[in-house]
């Protein structure tokens, strides 16, 4: 088991910085998930850990060794890519054994490990096939098998499931969770998928334009996002956010003017003055239908989506974007209906307008 530590890691392509002083300490056996918008530097960071990309500045440790200058083959790390990168002319068995053969491991050992990985990944019946004769999910399992047989110090995954259809993604997600429970190997996993991030991660790193926005336990990020960026990024459907004006304040106790009413919220840290505008956030599941006198937001339902297990309504409440409301799944709500909603102050997320940091 191996810890990985990134200290002030930077990456420049030519003169253009794409990773700015990233600090992350990954514990031995931890499952760390990297998320962030396209182009924020997730793959670059992963490739620097793997040794496929030079580190411009900072210190990368794997275990207790600084590995900045170590070639990929000496880092003892296995990377699984989105496109699998299997050898098309080799059988499943040969694909999994290839790396070990190159390292001249004894044949009996290679055989043992390949058989072991095939058992874990349920590939026993496919060992003689070529990648072209496999489904996407089976190919992805071979790519994981190839990583497992190496018994690496750590696994790196770059969107490994994004080429699979929805059902297979779920199946493979559970396989990865089981695999991690079984192997307890340090893992860094990049994904665009909210559910993968929330369910697989011990901790999630939210990246934004080459910076780390927040690192934390998935539910902590969900419940207490430290910035508006994280608030909007974590959670699907996304958090409702709109500007609200402070109309009364005792410094730490604010009364806010919302589109259809008022809400009283306590904040932490520095006080906020009257007449300030801040960003008010509330998740769709934290809004409930109420009468007009208690309302925070009121309007007509522009769209209703019934997903079977959930029902969402999109309320035209005069805010810039429609307000998403999660209804009880059997709720009999209709497009065009006028409704009012409110929430509980304990579920409100407030962000200052200037730095967009959480204030409550
Ligand atoms: N070889 C390169 N030369 C110059 N710029 C690059 C190179 N590779 C990546 N970049 C830039 O670095 C930034 C980070 O890219 P990276 O591939 O790490 O993003 P990402 O977070 O993995 O995005 P995605 O979610 O789309 O995969 C991007 O702005 C990208 O254009
Ligand atoms: Mg990428």
């Amino acid at each position: 088991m191996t810890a990985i530590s990134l200290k002030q890691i930077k990456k420049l392509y030519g003169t253009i910085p794409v990773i700015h002083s990233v600090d992350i300490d990954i514990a031995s056996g931890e499952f760390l998930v990297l998320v962030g918008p396209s182009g924020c530097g997730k793959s670059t960071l992963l490739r620097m850990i793997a040794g496929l990309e030079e580190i411009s500045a900072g210190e990368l440790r794997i275990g207790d060794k600084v590995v900045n200058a170590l070639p990929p083959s000496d880092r003892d790390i296995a990377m699984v890519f989105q496109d699998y990168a299997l050898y098309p002319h080799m059988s499943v068995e040969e694909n999994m054994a290839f790396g070990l053969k190159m390292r001249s491991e004894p044949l009996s050992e290679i055989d043992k490990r390949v058989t072991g990985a095939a058992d874990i990944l349920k590939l026993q019946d496919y060992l003689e096939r070529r990648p072209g004769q496999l489904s996407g999910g089976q190919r992805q399992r071979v790519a994981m098998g190839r990583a497992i047989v190496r018994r690496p110090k750590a696994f790196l995954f770059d969107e490994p499931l994004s080429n699979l259809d929805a059902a297979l993604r779920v199946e493979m997600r559970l396989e990865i969770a089981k695999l991690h429970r079984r192997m307890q190997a340090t893992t860094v996993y990049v994904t665009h998928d909210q559910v993968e991030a929330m369910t697989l991660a011990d901790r999630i790193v939210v990246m934004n334009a080459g910076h780390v926005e927040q690192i934390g336990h998935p539910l902590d990020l969900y419940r207490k996002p430290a910035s508006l960026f994280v608030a909007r990024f974590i959670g699907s459907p996304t958090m409702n956010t709109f500007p609200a004006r402070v109309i009364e304040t005792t410094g730490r106790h604010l009364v806010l003017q919302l589109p259809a009413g008022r809400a009283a919220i306590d904040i932490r840290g520095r006080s906020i003055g009257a007449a300030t505008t801040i960003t008010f956030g509330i998740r769709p599941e934290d809004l409930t239908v109420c009468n007009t006198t208690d309302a925070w937001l009121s309007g007509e339902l522009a769209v209703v989506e019934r997903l079977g297990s959930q029902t969402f309504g999109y309320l035209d409440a005069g805010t810039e974007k429609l307000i998403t409301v999660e209804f009880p799944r059997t709720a009999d709500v209709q497009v065009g209906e006028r409704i009012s909603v409110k929430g509980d102050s304990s579920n409100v997320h407030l962000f200052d307008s200037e730095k967009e940091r959480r204030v409550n």
Side-chain angles (χ1 to χ4, degrees):
M1 300 245 264
T2 307
I4 299 174
S5 139
L6 287 73
K7 277 210 171 46
Q8 295 288 303
I9 293 285
K10 291 190 183 134
K11 178 71 189 177
L12 292 95
Y13 283 115
T15 54
I16 302 167
V18 295
I19 299 285
H20 310 266
S21 302
V22 163
D23 288 301
I24 308 174
D25 278 310
I26 309 165
S28 179
E30 181 169 21
F31 200 116
L32 190 87
V33 172
L34 297 181
V35 298
S38 189
C40 71
K42 305 178 295 293
S43 297
T44 303
L45 206 57
L46 215 57
R47 291 170 59 81
M48 286 197 284
I49 298 173
L52 302 171
E53 205 72 71
E54 201 183 313
I55 296 169
S56 307
E59 189 182 272
L60 173 67
R61 280 174 187 269
I62 298 176
D64 44 20
K65 206 158 144 196
V66 176
V67 299
N68 288 47
L70 220 54
S73 55
D74 294 342
R75 293 191 188 191
D76 204 4
I77 277 187
M79 184 146 166
V80 178
F81 300 90
Q82 173 179 352
D83 61 3
Y84 324 133
L86 301 176
Y87 300 111
H89 58 286
M90 289 185 197
S91 70
V92 166
E93 187 169 15
E94 288 163 343
N95 261 287
M96 289 203 279
F98 185 72
L100 299 178
K101 283 198 179 131
M102 294 302 285
R103 286 197 282 166
S104 312
E105 295 278 350
L107 283 180
S108 61
E109 178 65 21
I110 296 178
D111 196 48
K112 194 175 103 196
R113 291 200 201 173
V114 169
T115 310
D119 280 347
I120 293 173
L121 295 163
K122 298 198 215 73
L123 285 168
Q124 301 99 326
D125 296 340
Y126 305 100
L127 288 173
E128 302 309 318
R129 290 207 203 168
R130 303 240 169 120
Q133 301 167 308
L134 299 174
S135 72
Q138 290 160 345
R139 275 180 228 168
Q140 187 57 52
R141 288 213 287 269
V142 179
M144 288 206 277
R146 200 174 44 180
I148 290 171
V149 295
R150 290 180 43 197
R151 304 212 175 133
K153 287 190 182 134
F155 289 98
L156 308 178
F157 291 94
D158 197 351
E159 305 198 46
L161 308 185
S162 55
N163 284 347
L164 306 180
D165 69 39
L168 253 180
R169 280 184 89 123
V170 174
E171 198 180 305
M172 289 304 296
R173 188 179 84 220
L174 299 178
E175 288 303 322
I176 289 175
K178 283 197 281 184
L179 201 63
H180 183 69
R181 279 249 308 265
R182 183 173 172 154
M183 305 189 59
Q184 296 289 316
T186 310
T187 302
V188 187
Y189 187 104
V190 172
T191 183
H192 271 107
D193 186 295
Q194 292 275 334
V195 181
E196 280 172 35
M198 294 300 288
T199 58
L200 291 171
D202 291 315
R203 285 188 303 160
I204 294 177
V205 179
V206 181
M207 291 184 60
N208 177 11
H211 294 276
V212 171
E213 273 280 326
Q214 191 174 359
I215 304 182
H217 184 274
L219 288 179
D220 291 338
L221 297 200
Y222 191 83
R223 291 178 185 144
K224 288 252 185 283
S227 65
L228 187 56
F229 184 88
V230 175
R232 285 180 175 153
F233 197 82
I234 299 285
S236 175
T238 191
M239 185 188 286
N240 298 298
T241 54
F242 49 86
R245 207 166 164 76
V246 178
I247 47 177
E248 276 174 46
T249 173
T250 57
R252 300 279 167 79
H253 183 75
L254 311 181
V255 176
L256 298 166
Q257 181 62 55
L258 306 186
R262 291 175 177 190
I265 317 280
D266 290 326
I267 58 167
R268 302 178 306 161
R270 71 188 170 87
S271 59
I272 291 181
T276 313
T277 297
I278 61 180
T279 302
F280 189 98
I282 182 119
R283 294 199 183 275
E285 70 269 28
D286 293 327
L287 287 170
T288 50
V289 175
C290 64
N291 56 38
T292 46
T293 43
D294 296 334
W296 285 1
L297 299 143
S298 291
E300 260 184 26
L301 282 173
V303 179
V304 172
E305 290 178 340
R306 294 180 207 282
L307 308 184
S309 62
Q310 290 165 301
T311 298
F312 295 108
Y314 298 85
L315 189 65
D316 186 356
T319 46
E320 191 191 342
K321 282 194 186 142
L322 295 175
I323 298 292
T324 313
V325 182
E326 182 173 351
F327 293 101
R329 64 183 162 147
T330 53
D332 181 28
V333 285
Q334 306 296 335
V335 170
E337 196 175 320
R338 257 201 97 73
I339 63 161
S340 294
V341 292
K342 69 178 177 73
D344 187 293
S345 59
S346 62
N347 294 324
V348 168
H349 309 264
L350 294 181
F351 305 93
D352 73 85
S353 299
E354 194 191 333
K355 296 227 165 97
E356 304 192 329
R357 308 299 299 175
R358 184 185 193 88
V359 295
N360 70 325

